[in-house]
Amino acid sequence: MESDRVLDGVRDALRDGGLTTGEVARRLGVAPTTIRSWDHRYGLGPSTRADGRHRRWTALDLRRLRRMCALTGAGLPPAEAARLVLDESSLLVPSPQPEGRPVPPPAARGRSRAGSGLRLGGVRQECKGMARAALRLDAVALDELLGAAIREHGLVDAWTELIMPTLQAVGRKWETSGERYVEVEHFLSWHVSGALRRHAPPAAPGARGATTVLACVPGENHTLPLEVLTAALTERGLLVRMFGAALPVESLVAAVRRTGPAVVGLWAQSRTTASTPLAQHVAAIEWGVRGARMKPVVFTMGPGWAGRTARGIPHPPGLAEAVRAVESLAAR
């Protein structure tokens, strides 16, 4: 079970001297600066410091911080929440445990409502941290967690293994809760988009290869998958023109004719927006002088195209495959 794995991770960290502030922040979905602020302002600091300097947080410290997250997430001012945490002896002093048995998790009343609101299953701990930060609408923590994920894992792996599962979990919560969490989904999407833009370097004047045009088909407003593809290709020094959501047919055709791209990527999240005739029409667009006419290679991207693509129009199944396919053509 996920809770067992978390406890195992805590016990392993304790054997190594405790959790670092960064590890605690990832587990709770808060910014490291927030944890340090709670320490300096309210005395919710680590029980031990390795070598007298480095912070090391124990299981009891983690329980207190989880309680702090729950109370502040419920709307209590941080100062009042900290007083309650410090006064709750059941969280300050754990019950005696037989040797070798793990300390049980805090009572349900001490759990963060943000942390328990999403059913993430067996996903990685970083996903839970992002989800908690999004549910609390904590912009600072979310930006730090997203940036750390991209720096540590790379753009493609961070999207595939961490960011996309978190987005899907929040989307499921919205769909099954009577639209109670629409603001959380919008908040998370906005910050993911910002993280992608911050990570992608500006287009270099000497970028290599031909142009790639990326656009959502008419009626399609899910832009994040194309934003991450844009960032990944730009990171590799390729020229990309991204047109975003719901590009009209006439505008798409005009953009292809004006730029003469080697690759056109068309994103469709839903089967209702995917149009095989549109993909075929774009693939047939020609430009250049007589006798040396050129056409783009069209990629259909996204789940909306499943089972609906035409012969000669490739459909990369995921981000990594799309990056490799586009790079192989646009970098020539």
Side-chain angles (χ1 to χ4, degrees), residues 253-303:
V253 171
V256 172
R257 292 190 186 281
R258 288 173 61 185
T259 60
V263 178
V264 176
L266 301 177
W267 179 269
Q269 182 76 19
S270 168
R271 290 177 62 85
T272 60
T273 59
S275 170
T276 299
L278 172 62
Q280 292 172 320
H281 179 67
V282 175
I285 297 176
E286 295 183 335
W287 61 84
V289 298
R290 188 184 299 275
R293 306 286 280 175
M294 300 180 65
K295 296 180 181 179
V297 175
V298 173
F299 290 151
T300 55
M301 301 174 178

mmCIF file of all heavy atoms in Angstrom, residues 253-303:
data_model
loop_
_atom_site.group_PDB
_atom_site.id
_atom_site.type_symbol
_atom_site.label_atom_id
_atom_site.label_comp_id
_atom_site.label_asym_id
_atom_site.label_seq_id
_atom_site.Cartn_x
_atom_site.Cartn_y
_atom_site.Cartn_z
ATOM 1 N N VAL A 253 -4.146 26.818 -42.446
ATOM 2 C CA VAL A 253 -3.658 26.707 -43.827
ATOM 3 C C VAL A 253 -2.756 27.896 -44.168
ATOM 4 O O VAL A 253 -1.680 27.734 -44.773
ATOM 5 C CB VAL A 253 -4.835 26.604 -44.804
ATOM 6 C CG1 VAL A 253 -4.350 26.700 -46.254
ATOM 7 C CG2 VAL A 253 -5.591 25.296 -44.578
ATOM 8 N N ALA A 254 -3.179 29.099 -43.778
ATOM 9 C CA ALA A 254 -2.370 30.287 -44.066
ATOM 10 C C ALA A 254 -1.017 30.210 -43.365
ATOM 11 O O ALA A 254 0.017 30.560 -43.949
ATOM 12 C CB ALA A 254 -3.121 31.542 -43.614
ATOM 13 N N ALA A 255 -0.994 29.737 -42.119
ATOM 14 C CA ALA A 255 0.269 29.635 -41.393
ATOM 15 C C ALA A 255 1.205 28.636 -42.052
ATOM 16 O O ALA A 255 2.420 28.868 -42.156
ATOM 17 C CB ALA A 255 -0.004 29.227 -39.940
ATOM 18 N N VAL A 256 0.663 27.509 -42.532
ATOM 19 C CA VAL A 256 1.497 26.503 -43.190
ATOM 20 C C VAL A 256 2.059 27.050 -44.489
ATOM 21 O O VAL A 256 3.255 26.877 -44.803
ATOM 22 C CB VAL A 256 0.684 25.214 -43.421
ATOM 23 C CG1 VAL A 256 1.477 24.227 -44.286
ATOM 24 C CG2 VAL A 256 0.316 24.566 -42.090
ATOM 25 N N ARG A 257 1.244 27.722 -45.263
ATOM 26 C CA ARG A 257 1.726 28.278 -46.541
ATOM 27 C C ARG A 257 2.788 29.351 -46.313
ATOM 28 O O ARG A 257 3.742 29.474 -47.086
ATOM 29 C CB ARG A 257 0.553 28.862 -47.328
ATOM 30 C CG ARG A 257 -0.429 27.819 -47.839
ATOM 31 C CD ARG A 257 -1.425 28.454 -48.802
ATOM 32 N NE ARG A 257 -2.466 27.525 -49.197
ATOM 33 C CZ ARG A 257 -2.321 26.574 -50.128
ATOM 34 N NH1 ARG A 257 -1.165 26.459 -50.760
ATOM 35 N NH2 ARG A 257 -3.324 25.773 -50.433
ATOM 36 N N ARG A 258 2.636 30.158 -45.285
ATOM 37 C CA ARG A 258 3.567 31.264 -45.039
ATOM 38 C C ARG A 258 4.904 30.791 -44.488
ATOM 39 O O ARG A 258 5.945 31.423 -44.741
ATOM 40 C CB ARG A 258 2.942 32.269 -44.071
ATOM 41 C CG ARG A 258 1.826 33.094 -44.685
ATOM 42 C CD ARG A 258 1.143 33.948 -43.636
ATOM 43 N NE ARG A 258 2.059 34.892 -43.025
ATOM 44 C CZ ARG A 258 1.726 35.694 -42.016
ATOM 45 N NH1 ARG A 258 0.511 35.627 -41.513
ATOM 46 N NH2 ARG A 258 2.613 36.542 -41.528
ATOM 47 N N THR A 259 4.903 29.711 -43.714
ATOM 48 C CA THR A 259 6.141 29.298 -43.049
ATOM 49 C C THR A 259 6.841 28.131 -43.722
ATOM 50 O O THR A 259 8.030 27.903 -43.483
ATOM 51 C CB THR A 259 5.847 28.910 -41.594
ATOM 52 O OG1 THR A 259 4.908 27.826 -41.570
ATOM 53 C CG2 THR A 259 5.253 30.088 -40.820
ATOM 54 N N GLY A 260 6.131 27.351 -44.543
ATOM 55 C CA GLY A 260 6.747 26.200 -45.196
ATOM 56 C C GLY A 260 7.376 25.231 -44.227
ATOM 57 O O GLY A 260 8.572 24.912 -44.343
ATOM 58 N N PRO A 261 6.631 24.720 -43.265
ATOM 59 C CA PRO A 261 7.239 23.878 -42.225
ATOM 60 C C PRO A 261 7.577 22.477 -42.730
ATOM 61 O O PRO A 261 6.930 21.950 -43.631
ATOM 62 C CB PRO A 261 6.148 23.817 -41.152
ATOM 63 C CG PRO A 261 4.871 23.918 -41.929
ATOM 64 C CD PRO A 261 5.170 24.854 -43.067
ATOM 65 N N ALA A 262 8.569 21.868 -42.108
ATOM 66 C CA ALA A 262 8.859 20.465 -42.392
ATOM 67 C C ALA A 262 7.843 19.561 -41.714
ATOM 68 O O ALA A 262 7.517 18.483 -42.218
ATOM 69 C CB ALA A 262 10.262 20.114 -41.927
ATOM 70 N N VAL A 263 7.341 20.006 -40.541
ATOM 71 C CA VAL A 263 6.424 19.193 -39.745
ATOM 72 C C VAL A 263 5.263 20.062 -39.280
ATOM 73 O O VAL A 263 5.458 21.222 -38.900
ATOM 74 C CB VAL A 263 7.131 18.596 -38.505
ATOM 75 C CG1 VAL A 263 6.141 17.797 -37.647
ATOM 76 C CG2 VAL A 263 8.308 17.719 -38.928
ATOM 77 N N VAL A 264 4.074 19.483 -39.306
ATOM 78 C CA VAL A 264 2.892 20.108 -38.708
ATOM 79 C C VAL A 264 2.320 19.117 -37.702
ATOM 80 O O VAL A 264 1.999 17.979 -38.050
ATOM 81 C CB VAL A 264 1.827 20.471 -39.758
ATOM 82 C CG1 VAL A 264 0.573 21.025 -39.067
ATOM 83 C CG2 VAL A 264 2.382 21.485 -40.747
ATOM 84 N N GLY A 265 2.211 19.540 -36.435
ATOM 85 C CA GLY A 265 1.616 18.701 -35.402
ATOM 86 C C GLY A 265 0.238 19.205 -35.051
ATOM 87 O O GLY A 265 0.075 20.377 -34.693
ATOM 88 N N LEU A 266 -0.773 18.350 -35.158
ATOM 89 C CA LEU A 266 -2.162 18.721 -34.874
ATOM 90 C C LEU A 266 -2.639 17.962 -33.637
ATOM 91 O O LEU A 266 -2.678 16.722 -33.641
ATOM 92 C CB LEU A 266 -3.053 18.394 -36.071
ATOM 93 C CG LEU A 266 -2.693 19.081 -37.387
ATOM 94 C CD1 LEU A 266 -3.622 18.611 -38.503
ATOM 95 C CD2 LEU A 266 -2.767 20.600 -37.238
ATOM 96 N N TRP A 267 -3.020 18.686 -32.604
ATOM 97 C CA TRP A 267 -3.438 18.057 -31.350
ATOM 98 C C TRP A 267 -4.955 17.996 -31.249
ATOM 99 O O TRP A 267 -5.647 18.983 -31.492
ATOM 100 C CB TRP A 267 -2.903 18.821 -30.145
ATOM 101 C CG TRP A 267 -3.338 18.205 -28.842
ATOM 102 C CD1 TRP A 267 -4.447 18.498 -28.121
ATOM 103 C CD2 TRP A 267 -2.682 17.131 -28.155
ATOM 104 N NE1 TRP A 267 -4.534 17.689 -27.016
ATOM 105 C CE2 TRP A 267 -3.454 16.847 -27.008
ATOM 106 C CE3 TRP A 267 -1.515 16.405 -28.389
ATOM 107 C CZ2 TRP A 267 -3.097 15.857 -26.100
ATOM 108 C CZ3 TRP A 267 -1.164 15.424 -27.479
ATOM 109 C CH2 TRP A 267 -1.945 15.161 -26.358
ATOM 110 N N ALA A 268 -5.453 16.821 -30.854
ATOM 111 C CA ALA A 268 -6.878 16.640 -30.572
ATOM 112 C C ALA A 268 -7.004 15.805 -29.305
ATOM 113 O O ALA A 268 -6.579 14.650 -29.284
ATOM 114 C CB ALA A 268 -7.595 15.980 -31.736
ATOM 115 N N GLN A 269 -7.591 16.367 -28.282
ATOM 116 C CA GLN A 269 -7.812 15.654 -27.026
ATOM 117 C C GLN A 269 -9.028 14.739 -27.124
ATOM 118 O O GLN A 269 -9.071 13.666 -26.525
ATOM 119 C CB GLN A 269 -8.013 16.655 -25.886
ATOM 120 C CG GLN A 269 -8.210 16.046 -24.521
ATOM 121 C CD GLN A 269 -6.911 15.533 -23.921
ATOM 122 O OE1 GLN A 269 -5.829 15.928 -24.356
ATOM 123 N NE2 GLN A 269 -7.019 14.674 -22.920
ATOM 124 N N SER A 270 -10.014 15.163 -27.887
ATOM 125 C CA SER A 270 -11.287 14.445 -27.961
ATOM 126 C C SER A 270 -11.544 13.945 -29.377
ATOM 127 O O SER A 270 -11.132 14.575 -30.365
ATOM 128 C CB SER A 270 -12.429 15.375 -27.526
ATOM 129 O OG SER A 270 -13.684 14.831 -27.838
ATOM 130 N N ARG A 271 -12.246 12.823 -29.482
ATOM 131 C CA ARG A 271 -12.623 12.303 -30.797
ATOM 132 C C ARG A 271 -13.568 13.250 -31.527
ATOM 133 O O ARG A 271 -13.652 13.224 -32.759
ATOM 134 C CB ARG A 271 -13.285 10.934 -30.629
ATOM 135 C CG ARG A 271 -12.325 9.833 -30.193
ATOM 136 C CD ARG A 271 -13.043 8.516 -29.980
ATOM 137 N NE ARG A 271 -13.660 8.020 -31.208
ATOM 138 C CZ ARG A 271 -13.024 7.301 -32.123
ATOM 139 N NH1 ARG A 271 -11.753 6.984 -31.951
ATOM 140 N NH2 ARG A 271 -13.652 6.886 -33.200
ATOM 141 N N THR A 272 -14.268 14.083 -30.784
ATOM 142 C CA THR A 272 -15.198 15.009 -31.422
ATOM 143 C C THR A 272 -14.485 16.147 -32.142
ATOM 144 O O THR A 272 -15.085 16.804 -33.008
ATOM 145 C CB THR A 272 -16.163 15.601 -30.390
ATOM 146 O OG1 THR A 272 -15.420 16.314 -29.392
ATOM 147 C CG2 THR A 272 -16.974 14.504 -29.709
ATOM 148 N N THR A 273 -13.230 16.408 -31.802
ATOM 149 C CA THR A 273 -12.493 17.481 -32.469
ATOM 150 C C THR A 273 -11.522 16.956 -33.532
ATOM 151 O O THR A 273 -11.127 17.711 -34.426
ATOM 152 C CB THR A 273 -11.709 18.317 -31.444
ATOM 153 O OG1 THR A 273 -10.787 17.476 -30.739
ATOM 154 C CG2 THR A 273 -12.650 18.979 -30.454
ATOM 155 N N ALA A 274 -11.122 15.703 -33.446
ATOM 156 C CA ALA A 274 -10.188 15.134 -34.425
ATOM 157 C C ALA A 274 -10.866 15.027 -35.780
ATOM 158 O O ALA A 274 -11.988 14.534 -35.896
ATOM 159 C CB ALA A 274 -9.702 13.771 -33.957
ATOM 160 N N SER A 275 -10.184 15.475 -36.818
ATOM 161 C CA SER A 275 -10.751 15.459 -38.168
ATOM 162 C C SER A 275 -9.717 14.905 -39.144
ATOM 163 O O SER A 275 -8.747 15.592 -39.484
ATOM 164 C CB SER A 275 -11.184 16.866 -38.589
ATOM 165 O OG SER A 275 -11.507 16.900 -39.965
ATOM 166 N N THR A 276 -9.908 13.679 -39.595
ATOM 167 C CA THR A 276 -8.988 13.085 -40.562
ATOM 168 C C THR A 276 -8.940 13.876 -41.865
ATOM 169 O O THR A 276 -7.847 14.086 -42.416
ATOM 170 C CB THR A 276 -9.378 11.626 -40.820
ATOM 171 O OG1 THR A 276 -9.289 10.895 -39.595
ATOM 172 C CG2 THR A 276 -8.447 10.988 -41.842
ATOM 173 N N PRO A 277 -10.078 14.353 -42.427
ATOM 174 C CA PRO A 277 -9.994 15.183 -43.633
ATOM 175 C C PRO A 277 -9.131 16.425 -43.456
ATOM 176 O O PRO A 277 -8.434 16.831 -44.396
ATOM 177 C CB PRO A 277 -11.462 15.538 -43.899
ATOM 178 C CG PRO A 277 -12.237 14.417 -43.310
ATOM 179 C CD PRO A 277 -11.477 14.034 -42.082
ATOM 180 N N LEU A 278 -9.171 17.032 -42.261
ATOM 181 C CA LEU A 278 -8.320 18.200 -42.025
ATOM 182 C C LEU A 278 -6.849 17.811 -42.085
ATOM 183 O O LEU A 278 -6.039 18.503 -42.725
ATOM 184 C CB LEU A 278 -8.643 18.813 -40.663
ATOM 185 C CG LEU A 278 -7.700 19.924 -40.205
ATOM 186 C CD1 LEU A 278 -7.735 21.107 -41.166
ATOM 187 C CD2 LEU A 278 -8.050 20.374 -38.783
ATOM 188 N N ALA A 279 -6.469 16.710 -41.429
ATOM 189 C CA ALA A 279 -5.075 16.271 -41.462
ATOM 190 C C ALA A 279 -4.634 15.973 -42.883
ATOM 191 O O ALA A 279 -3.516 16.334 -43.292
ATOM 192 C CB ALA A 279 -4.903 15.036 -40.573
ATOM 193 N N GLN A 280 -5.491 15.324 -43.663
ATOM 194 C CA GLN A 280 -5.160 15.021 -45.058
ATOM 195 C C GLN A 280 -5.025 16.300 -45.886
ATOM 196 O O GLN A 280 -4.150 16.402 -46.753
ATOM 197 C CB GLN A 280 -6.227 14.109 -45.651
ATOM 198 C CG GLN A 280 -6.246 12.713 -45.040
ATOM 199 C CD GLN A 280 -7.425 11.889 -45.503
ATOM 200 O OE1 GLN A 280 -8.542 12.401 -45.630
ATOM 201 N NE2 GLN A 280 -7.193 10.613 -45.755
ATOM 202 N N HIS A 281 -5.895 17.262 -45.619
ATOM 203 C CA HIS A 281 -5.843 18.530 -46.355
ATOM 204 C C HIS A 281 -4.526 19.264 -46.088
ATOM 205 O O HIS A 281 -3.877 19.765 -47.024
ATOM 206 C CB HIS A 281 -7.025 19.408 -45.955
ATOM 207 C CG HIS A 281 -7.050 20.740 -46.636
ATOM 208 N ND1 HIS A 281 -7.260 20.885 -47.990
ATOM 209 C CD2 HIS A 281 -6.877 22.003 -46.136
ATOM 210 C CE1 HIS A 281 -7.225 22.181 -48.315
ATOM 211 N NE2 HIS A 281 -6.994 22.869 -47.203
ATOM 212 N N VAL A 282 -4.107 19.317 -44.823
ATOM 213 C CA VAL A 282 -2.850 19.991 -44.485
ATOM 214 C C VAL A 282 -1.670 19.241 -45.084
ATOM 215 O O VAL A 282 -0.715 19.852 -45.592
ATOM 216 C CB VAL A 282 -2.709 20.109 -42.960
ATOM 217 C CG1 VAL A 282 -1.342 20.688 -42.586
ATOM 218 C CG2 VAL A 282 -3.813 20.988 -42.381
ATOM 219 N N ALA A 283 -1.717 17.923 -45.079
ATOM 220 C CA ALA A 283 -0.618 17.126 -45.635
ATOM 221 C C ALA A 283 -0.473 17.314 -47.134
ATOM 222 O O ALA A 283 0.603 17.048 -47.699
ATOM 223 C CB ALA A 283 -0.845 15.651 -45.315
ATOM 224 N N ALA A 284 -1.534 17.782 -47.796
ATOM 225 C CA ALA A 284 -1.493 17.974 -49.252
ATOM 226 C C ALA A 284 -1.067 19.379 -49.657
ATOM 227 O O ALA A 284 -0.901 19.652 -50.859
ATOM 228 C CB ALA A 284 -2.869 17.658 -49.842
ATOM 229 N N ILE A 285 -0.893 20.285 -48.703
ATOM 230 C CA ILE A 285 -0.491 21.661 -49.027
ATOM 231 C C ILE A 285 0.926 21.654 -49.597
ATOM 232 O O ILE A 285 1.827 21.022 -49.053
ATOM 233 C CB ILE A 285 -0.558 22.556 -47.773
ATOM 234 C CG1 ILE A 285 -2.002 22.649 -47.263
ATOM 235 C CG2 ILE A 285 -0.004 23.942 -48.069
ATOM 236 C CD1 ILE A 285 -2.127 23.430 -45.961
ATOM 237 N N GLU A 286 1.119 22.373 -50.705
ATOM 238 C CA GLU A 286 2.428 22.454 -51.357
ATOM 239 C C GLU A 286 2.909 23.893 -51.402
ATOM 240 O O GLU A 286 2.114 24.836 -51.398
ATOM 241 C CB GLU A 286 2.349 21.908 -52.787
ATOM 242 C CG GLU A 286 2.038 20.427 -52.877
ATOM 243 C CD GLU A 286 2.041 19.935 -54.325
ATOM 244 O OE1 GLU A 286 1.818 20.769 -55.224
ATOM 245 O OE2 GLU A 286 2.297 18.743 -54.540
ATOM 246 N N TRP A 287 4.225 24.069 -51.475
ATOM 247 C CA TRP A 287 4.823 25.376 -51.664
ATOM 248 C C TRP A 287 6.157 25.195 -52.363
ATOM 249 O O TRP A 287 6.652 24.072 -52.502
ATOM 250 C CB TRP A 287 5.015 26.097 -50.321
ATOM 251 C CG TRP A 287 5.919 25.370 -49.376
ATOM 252 C CD1 TRP A 287 7.268 25.392 -49.308
ATOM 253 C CD2 TRP A 287 5.485 24.448 -48.359
ATOM 254 N NE1 TRP A 287 7.729 24.565 -48.325
ATOM 255 C CE2 TRP A 287 6.650 23.982 -47.719
ATOM 256 C CE3 TRP A 287 4.247 23.995 -47.931
ATOM 257 C CZ2 TRP A 287 6.603 23.062 -46.680
ATOM 258 C CZ3 TRP A 287 4.194 23.101 -46.890
ATOM 259 C CH2 TRP A 287 5.354 22.651 -46.274
ATOM 260 N N GLY A 288 6.729 26.317 -52.804
ATOM 261 C CA GLY A 288 8.010 26.257 -53.496
ATOM 262 C C GLY A 288 7.849 26.438 -55.000
ATOM 263 O O GLY A 288 6.728 26.505 -55.539
ATOM 264 N N VAL A 289 8.967 26.481 -55.704
ATOM 265 C CA VAL A 289 8.964 26.720 -57.149
ATOM 266 C C VAL A 289 8.537 25.460 -57.888
ATOM 267 O O VAL A 289 8.635 24.339 -57.367
ATOM 268 C CB VAL A 289 10.363 27.162 -57.628
ATOM 269 C CG1 VAL A 289 10.763 28.472 -56.962
ATOM 270 C CG2 VAL A 289 11.411 26.094 -57.333
ATOM 271 N N ARG A 290 8.056 25.638 -59.102
ATOM 272 C CA ARG A 290 7.643 24.507 -59.923
ATOM 273 C C ARG A 290 8.827 23.558 -60.145
ATOM 274 O O ARG A 290 9.931 23.978 -60.426
ATOM 275 C CB ARG A 290 7.122 25.000 -61.260
ATOM 276 C CG ARG A 290 6.482 23.913 -62.121
ATOM 277 C CD ARG A 290 6.076 24.494 -63.466
ATOM 278 N NE ARG A 290 5.100 25.555 -63.298
ATOM 279 C CZ ARG A 290 3.782 25.356 -63.197
ATOM 280 N NH1 ARG A 290 3.298 24.123 -63.247
ATOM 281 N NH2 ARG A 290 2.962 26.385 -63.065
ATOM 282 N N GLY A 291 8.571 22.306 -59.969
ATOM 283 C CA GLY A 291 9.607 21.295 -60.115
ATOM 284 C C GLY A 291 10.317 20.976 -58.815
ATOM 285 O O GLY A 291 11.087 20.009 -58.763
ATOM 286 N N ALA A 292 10.097 21.792 -57.794
ATOM 287 C CA ALA A 292 10.720 21.527 -56.490
ATOM 288 C C ALA A 292 9.718 21.810 -55.378
ATOM 289 O O ALA A 292 10.043 22.410 -54.362
ATOM 290 C CB ALA A 292 11.975 22.382 -56.323
ATOM 291 N N ARG A 293 8.488 21.394 -55.630
ATOM 292 C CA ARG A 293 7.433 21.621 -54.651
ATOM 293 C C ARG A 293 7.667 20.758 -53.406
ATOM 294 O O ARG A 293 8.191 19.649 -53.486
ATOM 295 C CB ARG A 293 6.073 21.291 -55.244
ATOM 296 C CG ARG A 293 5.770 22.019 -56.548
ATOM 297 C CD ARG A 293 5.458 23.469 -56.334
ATOM 298 N NE ARG A 293 4.077 23.661 -55.884
ATOM 299 C CZ ARG A 293 3.573 24.849 -55.537
ATOM 300 N NH1 ARG A 293 4.348 25.924 -55.553
ATOM 301 N NH2 ARG A 293 2.318 24.952 -55.161
ATOM 302 N N MET A 294 7.251 21.275 -52.258
ATOM 303 C CA MET A 294 7.433 20.567 -50.987
ATOM 304 C C MET A 294 6.116 20.479 -50.246
ATOM 305 O O MET A 294 5.226 21.300 -50.445
ATOM 306 C CB MET A 294 8.484 21.284 -50.121
ATOM 307 C CG MET A 294 9.859 21.384 -50.769
ATOM 308 S SD MET A 294 11.055 22.222 -49.706
ATOM 309 C CE MET A 294 11.136 21.066 -48.347
ATOM 310 N N LYS A 295 6.023 19.474 -49.389
ATOM 311 C CA LYS A 295 4.856 19.280 -48.539
ATOM 312 C C LYS A 295 5.320 19.024 -47.112
ATOM 313 O O LYS A 295 6.418 18.508 -46.889
ATOM 314 C CB LYS A 295 4.030 18.072 -49.006
ATOM 315 C CG LYS A 295 3.421 18.194 -50.391
ATOM 316 C CD LYS A 295 2.637 16.926 -50.702
ATOM 317 C CE LYS A 295 2.036 16.981 -52.089
ATOM 318 N NZ LYS A 295 1.275 15.730 -52.403
ATOM 319 N N PRO A 296 4.464 19.336 -46.135
ATOM 320 C CA PRO A 296 4.846 19.028 -44.751
ATOM 321 C C PRO A 296 4.523 17.581 -44.398
ATOM 322 O O PRO A 296 3.677 16.942 -45.021
ATOM 323 C CB PRO A 296 3.963 19.982 -43.940
ATOM 324 C CG PRO A 296 2.717 20.086 -44.761
ATOM 325 C CD PRO A 296 3.165 20.035 -46.211
ATOM 326 N N VAL A 297 5.212 17.081 -43.400
ATOM 327 C CA VAL A 297 4.818 15.818 -42.778
ATOM 328 C C VAL A 297 3.874 16.168 -41.631
ATOM 329 O O VAL A 297 4.241 16.945 -40.742
ATOM 330 C CB VAL A 297 6.036 15.042 -42.256
ATOM 331 C CG1 VAL A 297 5.586 13.793 -41.500
ATOM 332 C CG2 VAL A 297 6.958 14.675 -43.405
ATOM 333 N N VAL A 298 2.673 15.623 -41.667
ATOM 334 C CA VAL A 298 1.682 15.922 -40.644
ATOM 335 C C VAL A 298 1.666 14.806 -39.604
ATOM 336 O O VAL A 298 1.558 13.626 -39.954
ATOM 337 C CB VAL A 298 0.281 16.103 -41.265
ATOM 338 C CG1 VAL A 298 -0.782 16.257 -40.167
ATOM 339 C CG2 VAL A 298 0.270 17.323 -42.181
ATOM 340 N N PHE A 299 1.782 15.199 -38.330
ATOM 341 C CA PHE A 299 1.633 14.264 -37.216
ATOM 342 C C PHE A 299 0.309 14.551 -36.523
ATOM 343 O O PHE A 299 0.019 15.697 -36.176
ATOM 344 C CB PHE A 299 2.762 14.433 -36.188
ATOM 345 C CG PHE A 299 4.102 13.967 -36.680
ATOM 346 C CD1 PHE A 299 5.257 14.557 -36.194
ATOM 347 C CD2 PHE A 299 4.217 12.942 -37.596
ATOM 348 C CE1 PHE A 299 6.508 14.132 -36.629
ATOM 349 C CE2 PHE A 299 5.455 12.499 -38.026
ATOM 350 C CZ PHE A 299 6.603 13.096 -37.546
ATOM 351 N N THR A 300 -0.497 13.517 -36.327
ATOM 352 C CA THR A 300 -1.682 13.661 -35.493
ATOM 353 C C THR A 300 -1.297 13.278 -34.072
ATOM 354 O O THR A 300 -0.705 12.222 -33.842
ATOM 355 C CB THR A 300 -2.822 12.767 -35.991
ATOM 356 O OG1 THR A 300 -2.377 11.414 -36.074
ATOM 357 C CG2 THR A 300 -3.288 13.226 -37.359
ATOM 358 N N MET A 301 -1.627 14.133 -33.117
ATOM 359 C CA MET A 301 -1.186 13.961 -31.745
ATOM 360 C C MET A 301 -2.378 14.056 -30.795
ATOM 361 O O MET A 301 -3.274 14.873 -30.998
ATOM 362 C CB MET A 301 -0.149 15.032 -31.376
ATOM 363 C CG MET A 301 1.084 15.008 -32.258
ATOM 364 S SD MET A 301 2.202 16.392 -31.888
ATOM 365 C CE MET A 301 3.542 16.024 -33.039
ATOM 366 N N GLY A 302 -2.349 13.215 -29.764
ATOM 367 C CA GLY A 302 -3.393 13.254 -28.765
ATOM 368 C C GLY A 302 -4.349 12.081 -28.866
ATOM 369 O O GLY A 302 -4.468 11.442 -29.921
ATOM 370 N N PRO A 303 -5.085 11.788 -27.780
ATOM 371 C CA PRO A 303 -5.978 10.625 -27.748
ATOM 372 C C PRO A 303 -7.166 10.730 -28.679
ATOM 373 O O PRO A 303 -7.780 9.717 -29.018
ATOM 374 C CB PRO A 303 -6.426 10.575 -26.279
ATOM 375 C CG PRO A 303 -6.243 11.971 -25.767
ATOM 376 C CD PRO A 303 -5.046 12.511 -26.486
#
